[in-house]
Amino acid sequence: MVTGIDPNRIPTHVALVMDGNGRWAQRRGLKRTDGHAAGEEALFDTVEGALELGITWLTVYAFSTENWKRPADEVRYLMGFNESILVRRRDEMNDRGVRMRFIGRRDWRVPRRLIKHMDRSIELTRNNRRMTFTIAFNYGGRAELVDAIKAMMADGVKPEKVTEKKLRQYFYDPEMPDPDLMIRTSGEYRISNYLLWEIAYSELIFTETLWPDFRREHLFDAVREYQDRERRFGGIEKED
Ligand code: IPE
Ligand code: IPE
Ligand code: MG
């Protein structure tokens, strides 16, 4: 096990906001898209680190419902880049025992080819159980709630049957547990519409590291900090 990490208190679900690609590139006199490209190594080193720790759910924010506001060139690049990552990496993920899933709105703006590769990745890795690696793509926490409520109403669920548990069943991935730990890189202290409902009691860690510089050691640091925190869930301190 990794030094200073208690193997019995590994967070089950870690959610990541991979932020700072543009600034990373800008500081090097490169294009913003070069920053996204450099984020690939960060992502797959982090996946390896998560596997090493025995984290069983890892969810990463790849494209938000608000990211459509970016220049068309950048949006186009991100669509192609995400497709190419799936094509190039899914066999390796499958070999590592990783199950791939996606959360987000599959609306007309998401290229059909990307959707096709999402479905292929899901299908290829569906029986893996070592870790579930979820990519939040065209994801927004508010959109997820709206979509869940719509689906629940379409099912004819009566108001008196609406509970937190019931609503949860209509989320993009009803099996996904709430994150224990949410990490955001790049020194931005905000949620940016990520997993709004699900992070109600997550421990939040913000780091100055820009996403392309993030490596498994940064994940280990975050897990150490997480293990130093005391989670109360609205209760009171546990007696030793
Ligand atoms: C995160 O990096 C990647 C996406 C949002 C797709 P940014 O592109 O937001 O990088 P900064 O925040 O502008 O540096
Ligand atoms: C959040 O980052 C979305 C992703 C990392 C995919 P943004 O860079 O889009 O968030 P804001 O605009 O700084 O809040
Ligand atoms: Mg950003």
Side-chain angles (χ1 to χ4, degrees):
M1 192 33 80
V2 180
T3 321
I5 293 183
D6 176 355
N8 299 312
R9 287 187 304 123
I10 298 294
T12 300
H13 183 186
V14 175
L16 266 164
V17 181
M18 310 185 287
D19 196 18
N21 299 351
R23 279 162 285 168
W24 183 92
Q26 223 162 21
R27 283 178 201 175
R28 285 168 177 72
L30 303 168
K31 300 190 296 283
R32 289 181 56 82
T33 49
D34 295 326
H36 299 314
E40 180 173 346
E41 192 180 339
L43 177 57
F44 289 94
D45 197 66
T46 304
V47 168
E48 286 303 321
L51 289 169
E52 211 174 312
L53 291 182
I55 289 167
T56 49
W57 292 78
L58 179 71
T59 302
V60 300
Y61 208 0
F63 193 87
S64 77
T65 48
E66 286 71 41
N67 287 147
W68 298 107
K69 290 180 198 159
R70 296 189 177 198
D73 279 357
E74 184 174 346
V75 169
R76 205 174 307 119
Y77 177 87
L78 287 168
M79 297 299 142
F81 179 58
N82 278 279
E83 180 187 327
S84 113
I85 282 190
L86 298 183
V87 173
R88 290 181 290 103
R89 298 284 193 159
R90 66 182 162 215
D91 287 329
E92 170 191 338
M93 290 296 98
N94 192 34
D95 292 343
R96 312 294 278 132
V98 172
R99 172 170 66 174
M100 296 177 73
R101 287 189 173 172
F102 298 85
I103 53 173
R105 241 185 212 165
R106 289 181 163 209
D107 64 31
W108 58 272
R109 295 173 295 183
V110 182
R112 288 183 68 103
R113 281 179 34 180
L114 176 52
I115 303 256
K116 185 183 83 185
H117 287 296
M118 286 178 180
D119 286 336
R120 282 203 188 157
S121 306
I122 293 167
E123 186 51 37
L124 175 72
T125 62
R126 62 182 301 163
N127 294 318
N128 296 335
R129 287 294 178 275
R130 192 173 169 203
M131 181 171 89
T132 304
F133 173 42
T134 305
I135 300 177
F137 197 89
N138 193 19
Y139 176 87
R142 290 182 173 183
E144 179 171 48
L145 286 165
V146 169
D147 290 349
I149 291 164
K150 268 192 190 165
M152 193 171 64
M153 292 178 83
D155 261 1
V157 176
K158 296 271 174 287
E160 59 273 20
K161 295 286 181 198
V162 178
T163 59
E164 291 182 8
K165 201 172 153 203
K166 189 77 196 167
L167 184 60
R168 193 78 182 71
Q169 288 166 7
Y170 289 93
F171 283 5
Y172 295 128
D173 183 355
E175 287 179 22
M176 187 178 91
D178 288 345
D180 301 290
L181 169 60
M182 202 276 302
I183 305 167
R184 182 172 186 148
T185 59
S186 90
E188 303 294 355
Y189 296 79
R190 55 179 171 262
I191 300 300
S192 302
N193 202 12
Y194 194 37
L195 302 170
L196 293 180
W197 172 286
E198 296 88 336
I199 60 166
Y201 271 102
S202 305
E203 293 299 325
L204 309 179
I205 291 182
F206 297 92
T207 156
E208 298 298 317
T209 307
L210 300 174
W211 177 250
D213 292 327
F214 198 90
R215 292 293 179 275
R216 71 185 80 187
E217 287 72 24
H218 298 94
L219 173 70
F220 299 161
D221 286 344
V223 171
R224 283 187 199 98
E225 187 176 337
Y226 165 84
Q227 293 191 336
D228 279 342
R229 304 245 184 119
E230 188 201 333
R231 303 184 75 187
R232 295 195 194 138
F233 300 100
I236 54 171
E237 243 177 284
K238 256 192 279 165
E239 278 180 66
D240 279 331

XYZ file of all heavy atoms in Angstrom, residues 74-117:
391
model
N -12.621 24.978 -30.341
C -12.250 24.243 -29.129
C -13.258 23.122 -28.860
O -12.889 22.006 -28.500
C -12.148 25.189 -27.926
C -11.658 24.458 -26.673
C -11.400 25.375 -25.478
O -11.335 26.609 -25.663
O -11.254 24.840 -24.361
N -14.547 23.440 -29.046
C -15.593 22.431 -28.834
C -15.369 21.257 -29.794
O -15.392 20.089 -29.396
C -17.000 23.043 -29.014
C -18.069 21.962 -29.074
C -17.295 24.037 -27.886
N -15.098 21.590 -31.051
C -14.874 20.541 -32.052
C -13.669 19.684 -31.668
O -13.687 18.465 -31.742
C -14.657 21.181 -33.436
C -15.014 20.248 -34.581
C -14.941 20.946 -35.955
N -15.709 22.171 -36.028
C -15.201 23.397 -36.271
N -13.886 23.558 -36.445
N -15.975 24.456 -36.332
N -12.626 20.356 -31.219
C -11.431 19.621 -30.792
C -11.781 18.655 -29.659
O -11.373 17.482 -29.678
C -10.326 20.585 -30.333
C -9.120 19.838 -29.814
C -8.109 19.423 -30.684
C -9.019 19.495 -28.469
C -7.029 18.692 -30.224
C -7.943 18.757 -28.000
C -6.951 18.367 -28.875
O -5.888 17.630 -28.416
N -12.529 19.140 -28.691
C -12.852 18.304 -27.520
C -13.701 17.086 -27.898
O -13.522 16.002 -27.346
C -13.540 19.137 -26.440
C -12.608 20.094 -25.688
C -13.409 21.087 -24.850
C -11.628 19.318 -24.803
N -14.604 17.275 -28.866
C -15.421 16.140 -29.327
C -14.511 15.077 -29.949
O -14.589 13.899 -29.619
C -16.466 16.595 -30.360
C -17.492 17.575 -29.830
S -18.458 16.882 -28.487
C -18.620 18.299 -27.422
N -13.638 15.515 -30.840
C -12.732 14.581 -31.523
C -11.750 13.946 -30.555
O -11.472 12.743 -30.622
N -11.248 14.745 -29.637
C -10.258 14.260 -28.669
C -10.867 13.190 -27.769
O -10.259 12.135 -27.525
C -9.758 15.445 -27.847
C -8.761 15.083 -26.792
C -7.570 14.440 -27.128
C -8.997 15.399 -25.458
C -6.648 14.112 -26.145
C -8.075 15.075 -24.468
C -6.899 14.428 -24.814
N -12.079 13.433 -27.308
C -12.722 12.447 -26.435
C -13.013 11.148 -27.189
O -12.843 10.060 -26.651
C -13.977 13.024 -25.788
C -13.622 13.861 -24.564
O -13.392 13.316 -23.492
N -13.512 15.164 -24.734
N -13.400 11.292 -28.446
C -13.628 10.092 -29.252
C -12.321 9.310 -29.407
O -12.278 8.088 -29.214
C -14.163 10.510 -30.635
C -14.436 9.332 -31.540
C -14.790 9.771 -32.962
O -15.407 10.839 -33.138
O -14.427 9.037 -33.902
N -11.247 10.034 -29.705
C -9.978 9.356 -29.943
C -9.448 8.693 -28.665
O -8.869 7.610 -28.712
C -8.980 10.322 -30.583
O -7.914 10.614 -29.738
N -9.703 9.307 -27.521
C -9.296 8.680 -26.250
C -10.016 7.340 -26.068
O -9.411 6.336 -25.694
C -9.595 9.621 -25.055
C -8.513 10.695 -24.986
C -9.674 8.852 -23.737
C -8.550 11.532 -23.727
N -11.304 7.326 -26.378
C -12.067 6.079 -26.225
C -11.507 5.006 -27.150
O -11.266 3.873 -26.732
C -13.550 6.309 -26.518
C -14.280 7.286 -25.597
C -15.754 7.362 -25.971
C -14.122 6.890 -24.131
N -11.272 5.389 -28.397
C -10.785 4.423 -29.380
C -9.412 3.888 -28.978
O -9.154 2.693 -29.035
C -10.743 5.072 -30.788
C -10.073 4.147 -31.795
C -12.154 5.442 -31.241
N -8.536 4.780 -28.513
C -7.170 4.364 -28.207
C -7.006 3.699 -26.852
O -6.073 2.950 -26.630
C -6.216 5.573 -28.295
C -6.003 6.058 -29.718
C -5.040 7.220 -29.801
N -5.589 8.456 -29.232
C -5.271 8.953 -28.052
N -4.374 8.353 -27.281
N -5.832 10.063 -27.621
N -7.890 3.997 -25.913
C -7.658 3.556 -24.542
C -8.595 2.470 -24.019
O -8.369 1.926 -22.955
C -7.760 4.762 -23.593
C -6.733 5.852 -23.850
C -5.375 5.437 -23.326
N -4.463 6.565 -23.280
C -3.371 6.615 -22.509
N -3.054 5.613 -21.723
N -2.585 7.671 -22.536
N -9.698 2.217 -24.744
C -10.676 1.320 -24.124
C -10.183 -0.109 -23.939
O -10.542 -0.765 -22.958
C -12.012 1.369 -24.859
C -11.981 0.825 -26.256
C -13.360 0.991 -26.887
N -13.245 0.878 -28.319
C -13.985 1.563 -29.185
N -14.900 2.404 -28.769
N -13.821 1.407 -30.478
N -9.313 -0.598 -24.859
C -8.808 -1.965 -24.701
C -7.944 -2.068 -23.448
O -8.031 -3.035 -22.696
C -8.008 -2.392 -25.936
C -8.925 -2.663 -27.121
O -10.077 -3.100 -26.881
O -8.516 -2.417 -28.273
N -7.126 -1.038 -23.256
C -6.263 -0.994 -22.073
C -7.126 -0.938 -20.797
O -6.868 -1.656 -19.833
C -5.391 0.263 -22.216
C -4.563 0.682 -21.045
C -4.000 2.099 -21.300
O -3.903 2.540 -22.473
O -3.687 2.777 -20.297
N -8.173 -0.143 -20.830
C -9.070 -0.070 -19.666
C -9.718 -1.431 -19.418
O -9.820 -1.886 -18.285
C -10.158 1.000 -19.890
C -9.666 2.441 -19.877
S -8.993 2.949 -18.264
C -7.241 2.727 -18.522
N -10.102 -2.072 -20.495
C -10.710 -3.395 -20.386
C -9.721 -4.391 -19.780
O -10.067 -5.146 -18.867
C -11.164 -3.843 -21.781
C -12.058 -5.056 -21.724
O -12.837 -5.214 -20.778
N -11.943 -5.926 -22.706
N -8.470 -4.353 -20.251
C -7.442 -5.250 -19.707
C -7.205 -5.003 -18.225
O -6.831 -5.918 -17.491
C -6.101 -5.058 -20.447
C -6.171 -5.526 -21.897
O -7.112 -6.279 -22.230
O -5.297 -5.126 -22.695
N -7.393 -3.781 -17.788
C -7.144 -3.429 -16.390
C -8.353 -3.759 -15.495
O -8.336 -3.502 -14.306
C -6.845 -1.929 -16.237
C -5.857 -1.348 -17.181
C -4.460 -1.868 -17.029
N -3.730 -1.226 -15.965
C -3.036 -1.880 -15.037
N -3.026 -3.188 -15.022
N -2.363 -1.223 -14.134
N -9.410 -4.269 -16.094
C -10.595 -4.632 -15.302
C -11.483 -3.441 -14.984
O -12.229 -3.427 -14.011
N -11.392 -2.417 -15.844
C -12.164 -1.189 -15.619
C -13.463 -1.232 -16.424
O -13.464 -1.553 -17.612
C -11.317 0.047 -16.024
C -12.154 1.317 -15.980
C -10.086 0.179 -15.127
N -14.559 -0.900 -15.754
C -15.855 -0.786 -16.424
C -16.081 0.680 -16.753
O -16.015 1.543 -15.864
C -16.940 -1.297 -15.479
C -18.349 -1.067 -15.957
C -19.359 -1.790 -15.113
N -19.429 -1.283 -13.739
C -20.324 -1.686 -12.842
N -21.196 -2.633 -13.155
N -20.331 -1.178 -11.629
N -16.343 0.980 -18.013
C -16.524 2.381 -18.413
C -18.005 2.729 -18.522
O -18.800 1.963 -19.065
C -15.822 2.649 -19.754
C -14.314 2.481 -19.648
S -13.496 2.703 -21.238
C -13.636 4.488 -21.423
N -18.323 3.897 -17.985
C -19.688 4.399 -18.087
C -19.664 5.890 -18.396
O -18.629 6.536 -18.246
C -20.441 4.156 -16.777
C -20.793 2.689 -16.593
C -21.721 2.497 -15.430
N -22.182 1.122 -15.375
C -22.890 0.624 -14.384
N -23.226 1.384 -13.359
N -23.280 -0.631 -14.401
N -20.806 6.421 -18.777
C -20.897 7.847 -19.110
C -22.133 8.422 -18.454
O -23.169 7.760 -18.386
C -20.986 8.021 -20.640
C -19.764 7.503 -21.329
C -19.653 6.155 -21.663
C -18.685 8.340 -21.573
C -18.488 5.651 -22.247
C -17.516 7.849 -22.160
C -17.425 6.502 -22.493
N -22.006 9.647 -17.972
C -23.185 10.362 -17.493
C -23.250 11.687 -18.238
O -22.216 12.270 -18.563
C -23.179 10.580 -15.955
C -21.883 11.258 -15.477
C -23.400 9.266 -15.211
C -21.886 11.652 -13.988
N -24.462 12.126 -18.530
C -24.620 13.382 -19.258
C -25.753 13.256 -20.257
O -26.341 12.186 -20.424
N -26.050 14.392 -20.877
C -27.153 14.430 -21.835
C -26.664 14.022 -23.220
O -25.707 14.584 -23.718
C -27.664 15.864 -21.928
C -29.090 15.988 -21.516
C -29.618 17.381 -21.718
N -30.617 17.635 -20.690
C -31.079 18.826 -20.384
N -30.619 19.901 -20.990
N -31.997 18.951 -19.452
N -27.368 13.085 -23.803
C -26.995 12.671 -25.158
C -27.823 13.473 -26.145
O -28.690 12.917 -26.825
C -27.246 11.180 -25.323
C -26.258 10.359 -24.528
C -26.522 8.901 -24.725
N -25.358 8.125 -24.314
C -25.047 6.957 -24.837
N -25.791 6.426 -25.774
N -23.977 6.311 -24.413
N -27.605 14.772 -26.211
C -28.450 15.550 -27.130
C -27.817 15.636 -28.522
O -26.733 15.119 -28.759
C -28.845 16.907 -26.538
C -27.667 17.826 -26.299
O -26.671 17.738 -27.050
O -27.747 18.650 -25.373
N -28.518 16.284 -29.427
C -28.107 16.327 -30.830
C -26.735 16.971 -31.049
O -26.113 16.778 -32.083
C -29.164 17.078 -31.642
C -29.384 18.484 -31.127
C -30.262 18.859 -30.142
C -28.697 19.670 -31.511
N -30.165 20.202 -29.894
C -29.207 20.733 -30.723
C -27.703 19.951 -32.457
C -28.751 22.041 -30.842
C -27.249 21.272 -32.571
C -27.770 22.290 -31.771
N -26.269 17.717 -30.068
C -24.982 18.393 -30.264
C -23.796 17.450 -30.111
O -22.684 17.749 -30.548
C -24.845 19.553 -29.264
C -25.854 20.647 -29.500
C -25.787 21.684 -28.402
N -26.177 21.135 -27.105
C -26.263 21.837 -25.985
N -25.964 23.132 -26.004
N -26.632 21.286 -24.852
N -24.020 16.333 -29.427
C -22.921 15.377 -29.253
C -22.816 14.536 -30.528
O -23.788 13.891 -30.917
C -23.174 14.460 -28.024
C -22.006 13.514 -27.818
C -23.449 15.289 -26.773
N -21.653 14.559 -31.189
C -21.539 13.843 -32.474
C -21.913 12.362 -32.347
O -21.560 11.717 -31.364
C -20.055 13.988 -32.834
C -19.562 15.160 -32.065
C -20.401 15.239 -30.823
N -22.611 11.875 -33.359
C -23.053 10.474 -33.352
C -21.891 9.502 -33.207
O -22.007 8.456 -32.593
C -23.802 10.162 -34.655
C -25.165 10.810 -34.728
C -25.856 10.377 -36.008
N -26.179 8.939 -35.930
C -27.400 8.482 -35.685
N -28.388 9.316 -35.501
N -27.629 7.187 -35.637
N -20.780 9.854 -33.838
C -19.605 8.963 -33.754
C -19.099 8.833 -32.338
O -18.668 7.775 -31.908
C -18.482 9.504 -34.643
C -18.728 9.174 -36.091
C -17.660 9.722 -36.981
N -16.327 9.722 -36.369
C -15.256 10.176 -37.004
N -15.349 10.649 -38.219
N -14.088 10.165 -36.409
N -19.155 9.933 -31.618
C -18.709 9.889 -30.223
C -19.664 9.008 -29.407
O -19.233 8.166 -28.622
C -18.637 11.318 -29.657
C -18.275 11.467 -28.187
C -16.992 10.716 -27.836
C -18.113 12.944 -27.816
N -20.958 9.177 -29.647
C -21.956 8.344 -28.955
C -21.704 6.869 -29.259
O -21.760 6.015 -28.379
C -23.400 8.732 -29.404
C -23.656 10.211 -29.144
C -24.439 7.792 -28.801
C -24.514 10.575 -27.975
N -21.415 6.595 -30.520
C -21.162 5.206 -30.932
C -19.969 4.636 -30.152
O -20.014 3.515 -29.650
C -20.875 5.170 -32.445
C -20.707 3.775 -33.012
C -20.346 3.801 -34.493
C -18.844 4.001 -34.675
N -18.431 4.157 -36.081
N -18.916 5.431 -30.025
C -17.736 4.943 -29.300
C -17.978 4.869 -27.793
O -17.371 4.040 -27.112
C -16.503 5.772 -29.655
C -16.022 5.473 -31.038
N -15.554 4.228 -31.395
C -16.001 6.222 -32.171
C -15.240 4.241 -32.684
N -15.503 5.440 -33.175
